[in-house]
Amino acid sequence: QVQLVESGGGLVQPGGSLRLSCAASGGTFSSYAMGWFRQAPGKEREFVAAISRGGGSTAYADSVKGRFTISRDNAQNTVYLQMNSLKPEDTAVYYCNADGSSLSMLLARWTKYVYWGQGTQVTVSS
């Protein structure tokens, strides 16, 4: 089981940018599709973005399309989430997770994942 540690969150003004990182260890990073998810207070966790094992395919929630970019560096065992034009409604704890199968399987079954890390808090406020 790969271990994941999220970082890079913080307080940012509306319209600002942040880059989140998720460092993986304990597995062969390049064999995992990776995803970012978030959970706002009082709401269920939701999908944000995902990327295939080699990085050639990505998927985004409609709410972040055009503003967020997911990328990965398999040599550094890290997946990133570049967040631009941030809005107050982006405020949440952001989590990453991994699927040992494929991007499509990640999208199909992420709601069934049991293990979640501590996440990183993103607060968008003036």
Side-chain angles (χ1 to χ4, degrees):
Q1 176 69 40
V2 62
Q3 285 78 51
L4 304 169
V5 178
E6 303 93 342
S7 62
L11 173 63
V12 62
Q13 293 186 341
S17 298
L18 279 176
R19 189 176 82 154
L20 306 184
S21 299
C22 171
S25 61
T28 303
F29 182 68
S30 59
S31 66
Y32 292 91
M34 299 296 298
W36 283 98
F37 309 85
R38 66 187 181 187
Q39 187 167 20
K43 295 187 176 182
E44 293 188 350
R45 197 177 338 244
E46 63 176 0
F47 166 75
V48 175
I51 189 166
S52 60
R53 289 172 289 183
S57 297
T58 57
Y60 295 93
D62 288 343
S63 59
V64 306
K65 207 170 289 185
R67 300 188 297 122
F68 290 11
T69 302
I70 188 171
S71 62
R72 66 189 298 162
D73 184 339
N74 285 346
Q76 297 296 323
N77 292 350
T78 303
V79 62
Y80 304 98
L81 186 68
Q82 178 67 44
M83 305 187 296
N84 298 330
S85 302
L86 282 161
K87 305 175 181 180
E89 50 263 44
D90 295 317
T91 295
V93 178
Y94 283 71
Y95 303 88
C96 64
N97 219 319
D99 197 297
S101 179
S102 64
L103 174 58
S104 59
M105 288 304 296
L106 181 152
L107 296 173
R109 62 188 182 188
W110 71 266
T111 57
K112 298 180 175 60
Y113 291 165
V114 174
Y115 169 78
W116 293 91
Q118 63 183 12
T120 186
Q121 175 71 48
V122 172
T123 303
V124 185
S125 175
S126 55

